[in-house]
Amino acid sequence: MKKANRIKRNEDFQTIFKHGHSTANRQFVIYSYPKKDQAHFRVGLSVSKKLGDAHLRNYIKRCLRHVMMEFDANQLIKHDVDIVIIARNPAATMTYHEMKSSLEHVLKLAKVYQHRSK
């Protein structure tokens, strides 16, 4: 994922948690915060140590980044939004394709996923 699409600073995370809107399903919690002055979406990931060891947490983050890159390549995410994705416990046992469909579901609930017909 491009550096411009990442949220890394704690201040940015705290702003999104405080002012953003949360949406959840069993596997993920999404905080979305609209920003009118940016040309692309940004994503921050949070995977708790409760989910497993470093290897598993990094695997989950890699899968989530890859899913978001796919959505970005197909222009499926609104570009004027900041998103924080928090993985819940069931995400630790999911395959890549299960994560993709679950993340798509929760992004649709959060109204940041836009379906493009070809």
Side-chain angles (χ1 to χ4, degrees):
M1 185 174 295
K2 297 176 189 172
K3 261 191 174 179
N5 289 24
R6 296 183 196 156
I7 298 173
K8 287 288 195 179
R9 294 182 23 211
N10 186 36
E11 297 86 25
D12 294 338
F13 275 94
Q14 295 308 318
T15 300
I16 295 167
F17 289 142
K18 187 174 182 180
H19 301 292
H21 180 266
S22 69
T23 309
N25 63 9
R26 289 182 185 262
Q27 296 83 14
F28 300 106
V29 177
I30 301 288
Y31 282 87
S32 58
Y33 182 62
K35 298 205 53 175
K36 302 293 182 196
D37 58 343
Q38 66 187 21
H40 51 81
F41 71 89
R42 297 188 312 159
V43 175
L45 303 175
S46 175
V47 182
S48 172
K49 287 185 178 181
K50 293 178 184 178
L51 265 62
D53 60 358
H55 176 267
L56 179 62
R57 293 193 311 270
N58 289 333
Y59 171 75
I60 293 169
K61 288 188 278 189
R62 276 194 312 271
C63 287
L64 292 175
R65 277 191 218 104
H66 194 271
V67 168
M68 294 306 288
M69 284 188 334
E70 276 188 41
F71 290 162
D72 184 30
N74 296 325
Q75 298 179 348
L76 297 174
I77 304 292
K78 292 183 180 179
H79 288 283
D80 59 347
V81 68
D82 284 348
I83 302 168
V84 174
I85 302 170
I86 302 172
R88 286 183 165 173
N89 210 10
T93 59
M94 295 173 73
T95 65
Y96 171 78
H97 297 290
E98 291 171 335
M99 279 189 206
K100 183 176 178 180
S101 79
S102 178
L103 194 57
E104 181 179 337
H105 172 256
V106 76
L107 287 170
K108 283 179 182 177
L109 291 176
K111 296 185 173 113
V112 295
Y113 186 90
Q114 52 190 8
H115 182 70
R116 299 242 188 226
S117 57
K118 294 184 179 182

